Amino acid sequence: MSVSTTAASQTRLANFPITFFAIGMGMMGFTLAMRAAETIFARSHTLSQAVLVFSVLLLIAISAGYIAKALRHSAEVAADWHHPVKIAFFPAISISLLLLATALVETAPALAEPLWLFGTGLQGVLALSVLSAWIGHRSFQTGMMTPAWFIPAVGNVIVPLAGTKLGYVELSWLFFSGGLIFWIILLTLVMNRLMFHDPMPGKMVPTLMILVAPPAVAFTAWMGLEGEVGPFGQVLLNAGYIFALLVATQASKLRNLPFALSWWALSFPIAALSIASFGYAHAAGSDAHRWIGAGLLALLVVVIFGLIWRTAMAVRAGAICVPE
């Protein structure tokens, strides 16, 4: 290998983005949405198992890349942490692990439990660290805020998905409560930023879809904690639908935007809303919600395959892992 090739590889590694973990979130969400569809339509879990294996391999590759960056380019990792947008993506690491534990909880509980415990501990540390940075000594401007700031809050409400099945009910309530509180706080701040300040940069426009994720995930977590929909569950699910419709009115802004890893923000919220729809269909015996879930899953399949293709092409063209 030539010196120039080695230098180029080191440069790409130094610029390996933390936003790669959004792929882990999206693919694990896709796995769980496939699993929910197979359950509601009484199909075998063969396809979702295949997606799970592929998702795990992707997550391992991404994790290996960022660990290598941390070992060889610690200053660049510190720069990611101090970046007003990138810092919100660090909890995507723990979220991916929690979603993996959720995917394994029924088929391999002995593996899911330690994975969930590690992911929950990591989520707690990262969420508190990010929130501490937000309210600490750093000077953040309103224009720096994007819907990606929801990611730490979303991670908290993911904890109960497997936690209730593993028997950690009180701990699940703790994270669920914290996630809901900060979702409401951040929702107010984000909507203020979107309505009264300059438009977001083009590559961050896809993160608008993240507005859908907190109520959709919270509904599924609520079902696990309470065992029934109830009025509050109705509010959460319908909030997810309302935000999805709101984001749909902004879809035209995506046209002609260049591809970036931020486009993966489209995937997990669609998966979360599909899963929530299937969950309501099962609990309430609603055929309408079963087909809403199926329609969202069909959209998710198109989005996932499109994102995988665009990401592969961007990697091949050397458009990712470059200085911003």
Side-chain angles (χ1 to χ4, degrees):
M1 183 179 293
S2 66
V3 174
S4 60
T5 301
T6 302
S9 298
Q10 288 299 314
T11 300
R12 286 194 293 271
L13 181 61
N15 291 289
F16 192 92
I18 185 65
T19 48
F20 253 128
F21 283 98
I23 297 177
M25 286 180 60
M27 291 304 300
M28 289 300 167
F30 183 35
T31 300
L32 293 172
M34 291 293 300
R35 180 80 56 81
E38 290 167 344
T39 300
I40 202 75
F41 289 104
R43 299 289 189 270
S44 69
H45 294 324
T46 304
L47 189 55
S48 63
Q49 286 296 106
V51 175
L52 175 61
V53 171
F54 179 67
S55 301
V56 169
L57 292 176
L58 275 178
L59 184 58
I60 290 173
I62 293 167
S63 300
Y66 206 78
I67 290 171
K69 174 179 176 175
L71 293 175
R72 299 182 184 181
H73 303 281
S74 57
E76 283 73 13
V77 173
D80 288 346
W81 180 258
H82 288 88
H83 191 278
V85 176
K86 293 178 182 178
I87 187 176
F89 283 90
F90 277 87
I93 301 171
S94 52
I95 291 172
S96 297
L97 295 176
L98 289 168
L99 291 171
L100 175 56
T102 304
L104 295 173
V105 70
E106 294 181 358
T107 57
L111 178 59
E113 184 170 8
L115 184 62
W116 180 85
L117 288 169
F118 176 76
T120 298
L122 184 61
Q123 171 61 29
V125 170
L126 288 174
L128 287 174
S129 298
V130 172
L131 291 170
S132 177
W134 284 342
I135 65 176
H137 63 279
R138 301 186 193 180
S139 178
F140 289 117
Q141 303 298 318
T142 303
M144 298 175 181
M145 176 175 284
T146 74
W149 281 36
F150 281 115
I151 293 175
V154 172
N156 289 334
V157 294
I158 286 173
V159 167
L161 299 185
T164 52
K165 296 178 180 178
L166 291 169
Y168 296 92
V169 178
E170 294 301 323
L171 188 58
S172 295
W173 271 113
L174 174 66
F175 277 86
F176 181 79
S177 302
L180 279 186
I181 290 169
F182 282 102
W183 169 49
I184 294 170
I185 294 171
L186 290 169
L187 179 60
T188 305
L189 295 174
V190 169
M191 293 305 293
N192 175 276
R193 185 260 183 270
L194 294 175
M195 291 180 177
F196 299 110
H197 297 272
D198 292 337
M200 290 189 301
K203 69 177 182 178
M204 296 308 296
V205 171
T207 65
L208 283 171
M209 194 66 193
I210 300 176
L211 289 168
V212 176
V217 177
F219 170 80
T220 304
W222 172 260
M223 288 290 294
L225 289 163
E226 282 293 291
E228 60 182 10
V229 177
F232 186 60
Q234 289 274 9
V235 170
L236 290 173
L237 179 61
N238 285 294
Y241 291 143
I242 290 168
F243 280 120
L245 292 171
L246 177 62
V247 173
T249 67
Q250 305 297 306
S252 61
K253 294 181 179 179
L254 297 175
R255 294 177 183 174
N256 302 319
L257 286 180
F259 177 77
L261 286 178
S262 57
W263 280 73
W264 276 92
L266 298 173
S267 57
F268 179 73
I270 299 175
L273 195 56
S274 177
I275 294 165
S277 299
F278 285 134
Y280 184 88
H282 176 74
S286 171
D287 284 338
H289 285 81
R290 180 172 63 168
W291 291 110
I292 289 172
L296 289 167
L297 180 58
L299 174 61
L300 179 62
V301 170
V302 174
V303 168
I304 288 290
F305 277 90
L307 289 172
I308 291 174
W309 172 258
R310 292 293 298 273
T311 304
M313 292 299 99
V315 170
R316 183 178 181 182
I320 294 180
C321 300
V322 294
E324 296 184 357

